[in-house]
Amino acid sequence: MAQFKDDTLLAVQRSKLQPPPMFKVMLLNDDFTPMEFVVLVLQKFFAMTRERATQVMLKVHREGIGVCGVFPRDIATTKVQQVAAFARRHQHPLQCVMEET
Ligand code: TYC
C-alpha cells in the first residue's frame, strides 16, 4: 500500500506480465566451414569484435557448440535465418540453431 498526505491509500499493482521468452542462438561445429568464415559470421551478424569472434569460434570448434547471443524470439529467428542464408550463399555447411533459455 502507498499512503499519501491526504490519507489516500493505493494498493500497489504488481505487474502481471511475464518477461518475454528468450532464446540462445548457437553455432554448431562441422569439419568443412573455414574458421575465418565463422569469425566473419560472428562479427557480421552478432556484432562481435574480431577477438571475441575468434574466442567463440574456437570454443565451437573444440566443444562442438557455442552460444552467439541471447535474444527475443523474433530476433533469434532472424539471426538463424541470416546465418543460414549467408552460409548457403557461400556454400558452407555451417549450422545455426536456437533454443529457449
Ligand atoms: N571445425 C571447423 C574447421 O576446422 C571450424 C568451425 C568452427 C566450423 C566453428 C564451424 O561453427 C563452427 N575448419
Side-chain angles (χ1 to χ4, degrees), residues 27-36 38 56-62 64 94-95:
L27 282 181
L28 305 183
N29 188 35
D30 66 71
D31 292 339
F32 305 103
T33 305
M35 290 184 173
E36 178 56 35
V38 179
V56 172
M57 180 279 295
L58 285 173
K59 183 181 166 70
V60 177
H61 176 71
R62 293 187 186 118
L94 182 63
Q95 294 286 315

Side-chain angles (χ1 to χ4, degrees), residues 6 21 49 82 85:
D6 65 357
T49 63
Q82 285 175 327

Side-chain angles (χ1 to χ4, degrees), residues 18-19 22 24 30 35 49 52 65 81-82 94:
Q18 292 297 113
M22 299 296 279
K24 288 184 289 185
D30 66 71
M35 290 184 173
T49 63
R52 178 69 188 141
I65 193 165
Q81 289 171 351
Q82 285 175 327
L94 182 63

